[in-house]
Amino acid sequence: MSRPRVLFLLTIGLLLAVCPMFAANYAVGSCKPSLPSYATISGAVSGVPPGSTVLVCPGTYPEQVTIAQPLTLKGISSGNAGQAVITVPDSGLTAVTAGFGESIAPQVHVTAGPVNISDITVDGTGSNVTYPPWLVGIFYDSGSSGTVNEVTARNLSTSGLGAGVGIWAENATSTNESVTIQNSSFHDIDDSAVITESSTLIATAKGNTMYASGFQVQWFSGGSITANVINGSGSFQGIVVLGPVTVSGNTLANQVHGIQAAGGVTVTSNKISNMSGAGILDGGGGNTYKANTITKVGVGIEFNCYTPTVTSNTINDATTGLDNVPASFSGANSFNNVVTLRTDGCASAPTSPKAPHSGPMPAPAR
């Protein structure tokens, strides 16, 4: 046998020998007998090679999961079953201290990146958490990154103040990280569907459906909030956002206030309805509100005596169209069935409400 052929066969043999070390597909559960499998999600995400895909069979997995390496975690269907649910273990949840100092009890704790999670349900039933800590379905900690797609976060509530959160992403490091949250469902949550934190985090929330009872979305990072359906069923605020951020194409309904913005936020083409307070609350910092449709509200846009750019908005069925407007304002907007189009008379200092809080807030006890 020729020397080149011997070397070739030796190379192939070595590659075959180390093949298990390379990223591949692995299973949790018994629905994929052709794949290497694990009994628990925790065992899989700590045992597979970096970059692997972990396929989770339908079933209920009572465990607190920490993902400390890049991988994909994906729920799959088998037969007529199609839901992989992470629930609270009998031993309860252990809290961690986040990069900005908050105490958080996460059901899934991500500390690396990229970590992509899809087709998984996170259910906080039976957590028995009293705030503090916060109870969080999926927590992307400092230095992590990834995409959450087609995930359900539900039944996240705490005793005392409302501090249940569907997904929390933050980054206390100086290196930019990114997290995308898309096409996911949030419900039965007593504070926020999504919280983001840090100027070095570029976060994206798009195409999600959110039903939380506190602040819905608390956004203290860069990025964008687009094409989400946010229905508060009486919650306090739909989106609390500190810019610069783009908020566009969202549908918000049934809260006290719709969008509260400060710090250079661009709010465009949103549909806001049935707010007992204001459709939009301005907190200063050079925000832009354009081409929004605001219907059945107490106040269409609350200027709070700041000087945002406000143009081409349509305000229908409101007690007041534009409130606390500086005398210098001259933007063109449309009004239909509005009792008072505009109130002026601003003092030199802005009136309440002030700019959004600079960090996450639990919902007041009810």
Side-chain angles (χ1 to χ4, degrees):
M1 186 179 296
S2 67
R3 180 179 177 82
R5 181 172 177 79
V6 171
L7 291 174
F8 174 79
L9 292 174
L10 286 173
T11 300
I12 294 299
L14 288 171
L15 288 172
L16 290 173
V18 301
C19 185
M21 297 175 62
F22 293 124
N25 290 341
Y26 297 82
V28 177
S30 58
C31 70
K32 288 287 185 181
S34 63
L35 297 178
S37 64
Y38 293 80
T40 65
I41 297 173
S42 295
V45 298
S46 63
V48 301
S52 296
T53 296
V54 176
L55 304 175
V56 184
C57 296
T60 300
Y61 300 87
E63 51 185 302
Q64 185 173 21
V65 179
T66 298
I67 305 177
Q69 61 174 337
L71 55 77
T72 294
L73 181 68
K74 179 177 175 60
I76 58 173
S77 298
S78 179
N80 199 37
Q83 190 175 53
V85 185
I86 299 174
T87 60
V88 177
D90 291 339
S91 57
L93 299 171
T94 300
V96 299
T97 300
F100 291 104
E102 298 94 346
S103 179
I104 292 177
Q107 291 188 259
V108 178
H109 185 200
V110 180
T111 63
V115 171
N116 302 318
I117 302 173
S118 63
D119 301 287
I120 295 286
T121 294
V122 180
D123 190 321
T125 300
S127 67
N128 297 319
V129 170
T130 299
Y131 173 80
W134 297 78
L135 172 63
V136 177
I138 300 174
F139 176 37
Y140 275 81
D141 209 338
S142 294
S144 66
S145 63
T147 296
V148 176
N149 184 49
E150 299 287 2
V151 159
T152 295
R154 68 190 189 195
N155 301 324
L156 294 154
S157 299
T158 61
S159 299
L161 298 179
V165 180
I167 296 176
W168 182 316
E170 69 170 51
N171 184 35
T173 74
S174 59
T175 302
N176 287 343
E177 300 289 354
S178 64
V179 173
T180 296
I181 303 161
Q182 61 187 17
N183 307 320
S184 293
S185 174
F186 302 84
H187 61 88
D188 297 290
I189 297 170
D190 69 0
D191 188 59
S192 298
V194 173
I195 289 178
T196 68
E197 196 173 9
S198 176
S199 60
T200 58
L201 175 66
I202 308 303
T204 301
K206 59 183 180 181
N208 302 288
T209 301
M210 304 176 180
Y211 294 86
S213 57
F215 295 95
Q216 295 283 358
V217 176
Q218 299 191 61
W219 201 273
F220 308 107
S221 70
S224 61
I225 308 167
T226 60
N228 301 284
V229 174
I230 302 172
N231 191 324
S233 299
S235 67
F236 299 104
Q237 289 178 315
I239 298 174
V240 179
V241 55
L242 191 63
V245 175
T246 297
V247 180
S248 66
N250 301 284
T251 299
L252 300 94
N254 306 317
Q255 279 108 196
V256 176
H257 303 301
I259 299 171
Q260 183 179 3
V265 180
T266 299
V267 179
T268 62
S269 302
N270 299 282
K271 294 182 178 180
I272 303 169
S273 64
N274 200 29
M275 304 291 167
S276 59
I280 294 174
L281 284 169
D282 189 66
N287 306 301
T288 296
Y289 309 114
K290 182 177 181 180
N292 301 285
T293 301
I294 304 171
T295 304
K296 195 184 177 186
V297 295
V299 174
I301 299 175
E302 171 58 65
F303 279 61
N304 196 29
C305 294
Y306 291 112
T307 56
T309 298
V310 179
T311 183
S312 302
N313 300 285
T314 300
I315 300 174
N316 303 312
D317 189 10
T319 303
T320 304
L322 308 177
D323 195 35
N324 289 313
V325 182
S328 60
F329 174 74
S330 60
N333 298 274
S334 298
F335 304 91
N336 302 296
N337 299 303
V338 175
V339 177
T340 302
L341 301 188
R342 166 177 172 163
T343 67
D344 299 317
C346 284
S348 58
T351 59
S352 179
K354 297 180 180 180
H357 191 269
S358 60
M361 299 170 287
R366 298 195 179 192

